[in-house]
Amino acid sequence: MKRKMLMAANKKGLNYYSPIIAIMGIFILGAILSNLFVKQYNLASDFDLGREQFRILLTESSAEKVLLFVDNAARLALEQAAYKYGKNGFYQSGTSCGNKDGFNLWTKEESNTQNDCVPQLTPCYPTNSNMMATLHDFFANALDSFISGFNGKSGLKVEGNKVMLPSSYDFTISPVSGRTEIKGMSQQPVSLAATRTNQLVYDIKPNFRQSITPDVISDGNDVASKSPQLLRKKEQEISSVLSSFNSQNPDLKWELASYLTPPSSCSRVIDKCTYKCNCVIVEYPCPEDNKKICTREDCETCIGSLVETVSYDDVYASFSVANGKGFYISDPSSTPPQLKSVAYNFGLNWLEETGRSTKCEP
């Protein structure tokens, strides 16, 4: 009986104990969850989890856009440089020989009194170093134009800050068989802030390696080395020489763009001479009829200069050598891009004597 009463009491105590344990467990679990929630809130406030990772990915994407733009800009700049390089006859500006009808001259022949009318030929044939420097300068100008356009008009921003590309680049033109290759890297990095808090900064130096066909430097050397063979040729003779050039290298198509022969002359003193001077009209009675008056011219003899005048054809022969390539170019820069053929243009000038005459002059 006593044992039954004890068991009944224990069972009753257990019935009270279980709810107490459950209630205590709920309080403890709530405290733990509350503590975790506060810590998580503070962590999110400090590091902005989720959004920060998104900003990092956005920054990486912006960096890729920057690199892609510089690559494409370098490609377009190289095409534009090759076009202008050929159009200008491998010179960035005019040569010391001058130009004629938009063609830079590689020779200029003049005859003047100071040289006793002996024709003097000035050569302005481009060298390999001229060609490299010209292509380098045209590329630099074109790339700078694209970079300036990006910095002025691009809406690319990271964390509200506009992305600005560096304007200075180091680059080299590399000799590659059959291609014109250029490699370069910016002198300053582009800094992109990846996050607002605990900032990560991306420093990237845009670089590029671009090439086009053909090798415009090699073509230039070929054209410059053959051009002297066209000097002092008649128009019919030039056609024969150009046919020979086209047979030797079918990749280059030589054409005579124009053949002009405006007249020119040079005069020089070659000796002394005598001539009538200080002439007066004298009246006197006519021998046949004294009633009539006759006249005659009385002159003195003076010493003058015997002047020789040499006449010339001032020949201007212009040539265009196509390489079979074309690029979309804005020429002039204010016009929409159009497909333009690449050609190496130049002119030659020389004198061809057509006659001589002499005259005694005071």
Side-chain angles (χ1 to χ4, degrees), residues 2 5 7 27 52 78 146 150 190 209 233 252 323 326 341 360 362:
K2 186 177 180 180
M5 291 178 65
M7 290 177 63
F27 276 109
E52 291 296 282
L78 184 55
F146 288 128
F150 177 91
V190 179
R209 179 177 181 176
K233 294 290 193 300
L252 296 178
N323 65 15
S341 298
C360 190

Side-chain angles (χ1 to χ4, degrees), residues 63 66 70 163-166 169 186 188-192 201-206:
V66 167
V70 173
V163 177
M164 301 291 287
L165 294 180
Y169 292 77
S186 65
Q188 299 88 28
V190 179
S191 295
L192 305 175
V201 178
Y202 277 76
D203 277 345
I204 57 172
K205 277 193 172 185

Side-chain angles (χ1 to χ4, degrees), residues 111-113 116-118 264-268 308-312:
S111 179
N112 51 54
T113 304
D116 292 328
C117 290
V118 177
S264 179
S265 64
C266 177
S267 299
R268 67 184 183 113
E308 179 185 52
T309 299
V310 185
S311 300
Y312 302 98

Side-chain angles (χ1 to χ4, degrees), residues 113-135:
T113 304
Q114 291 77 8
N115 293 328
D116 292 328
C117 290
V118 177
Q120 302 290 318
L121 184 71
T122 301
C124 298
Y125 296 107
T127 63
N128 186 79
S129 59
N130 290 144
M131 298 174 197
M132 295 284 280
T134 297
L135 188 62

Side-chain angles (χ1 to χ4, degrees), residues 15-220:
N15 290 338
Y16 285 109
Y17 181 73
S18 296
I20 292 174
I21 294 298
I23 292 171
M24 290 180 63
I26 290 171
F27 276 109
I28 292 172
L29 180 61
I32 293 173
L33 291 176
S34 176
N35 188 48
L36 287 176
F37 175 78
V38 171
K39 287 184 177 181
Q40 188 274 340
Y41 176 79
N42 291 334
L43 189 64
S45 299
D46 290 338
F47 296 101
D48 203 10
L49 290 178
R51 283 180 290 180
E52 291 296 282
Q53 284 84 343
F54 175 76
R55 291 191 181 104
I56 292 175
L57 293 176
L58 180 61
T59 303
E60 290 178 347
S61 174
S62 299
E64 289 298 325
K65 290 178 181 177
V66 167
L67 297 178
L68 181 61
F69 176 85
V70 173
D71 270 343
N72 290 333
R75 171 79 182 192
L76 294 174
L78 184 55
E79 291 177 352
Q80 189 172 103
Y83 170 77
K84 290 187 175 181
Y85 158 91
K87 182 181 179 182
N88 281 36
F90 314 141
Y91 285 94
Q92 185 178 15
S93 56
T95 71
S96 58
C97 292
N99 64 79
K100 182 70 172 178
D101 296 335
F103 287 77
N104 278 331
L105 298 176
W106 290 357
T107 62
K108 177 65 176 177
E109 191 162 43
E110 295 178 298
S111 179
N112 51 54
T113 304
Q114 291 77 8
N115 293 328
D116 292 328
C117 290
V118 177
Q120 302 290 318
L121 184 71
T122 301
C124 298
Y125 296 107
T127 63
N128 186 79
S129 59
N130 290 144
M131 298 174 197
M132 295 284 280
T134 297
L135 188 62
H136 181 285
D137 290 344
F138 275 133
F139 176 83
N141 291 339
L143 183 63
D144 182 69
S145 176
F146 288 128
I147 296 298
S148 298
F150 177 91
N151 289 338
K153 300 177 181 178
S154 169
L156 182 60
K157 294 182 179 181
V158 174
E159 296 296 318
N161 298 316
K162 188 174 182 179
V163 177
M164 301 291 287
L165 294 180
S167 58
S168 300
Y169 292 77
D170 295 319
F171 50 86
T172 57
I173 301 171
S174 305
V176 180
S177 178
R179 303 199 316 273
T180 305
E181 183 175 278
I182 196 160
K183 295 183 288 187
M185 177 175 288
S186 65
Q187 295 178 357
Q188 299 88 28
V190 179
S191 295
L192 305 175
T195 57
R196 291 182 179 176
T197 58
N198 297 304
Q199 271 199 357
L200 297 175
V201 178
Y202 277 76
D203 277 345
I204 57 172
K205 277 193 172 185
N207 61 85
F208 52 83
R209 179 177 181 176
Q210 294 291 340
S211 67
I212 59 173
T213 56
D215 183 349
V216 297
I217 301 297
S218 177
D219 283 355

